[in-house]
Amino acid sequence: FSPCGRFALTSSRDRYSKIYDCERLELIHTLSGHSLRLYSAKWSVCGRFAYTTSRDNVICCWNVAMGKSVQKLDSGHRTAMVG
């Protein structure tokens, strides 16, 4: 859940992360930017950003309000990034 507790962030094997509004019970954004299945999705402390890691060895930083990727980093890892 987001730091404010209102939003939920998911990650999936289908390569997508989703943000849900738990008060309104609706999907807000589907985050698409990885080429392989996701390992994890985490909120930033401020709640304005989300981070996803994937089997494609890329870390994506997402602007939660816009539902857009703001930065992609090649992690350099060649094994799972989970956490």
Side-chain angles (χ1 to χ4, degrees):
F1 290 94
S2 63
C4 69
R6 180 174 176 177
F7 302 99
L9 175 66
T10 66
S11 62
S12 177
R13 290 181 172 212
D14 68 1
R15 303 183 330 261
Y16 301 104
S17 185
K18 296 186 180 196
I19 300 173
Y20 294 90
D21 183 325
C22 297
E23 288 181 4
R24 295 171 52 189
L25 301 176
E26 65 183 22
L27 175 66
I28 302 298
H29 295 296
T30 298
L31 308 177
S32 172
H34 288 285
S35 61
L36 297 171
R37 72 181 180 143
L38 299 182
Y39 285 132
S40 66
K42 303 286 183 181
W43 292 98
S44 67
V45 174
C46 66
R48 295 185 317 178
F49 300 97
Y51 302 91
T52 54
T53 63
S54 168
R55 190 174 187 150
D56 62 10
N57 299 311
V58 171
I59 301 167
C60 284
C61 175
W62 304 90
N63 177 306
V64 172
M66 294 174 46
K68 302 286 183 192
S69 175
V70 293
Q71 189 167 15
K72 289 185 178 186
L73 304 168
D74 183 334
S75 71
H77 292 276
R78 296 300 168 236
T79 58
M81 297 175 297
V82 181

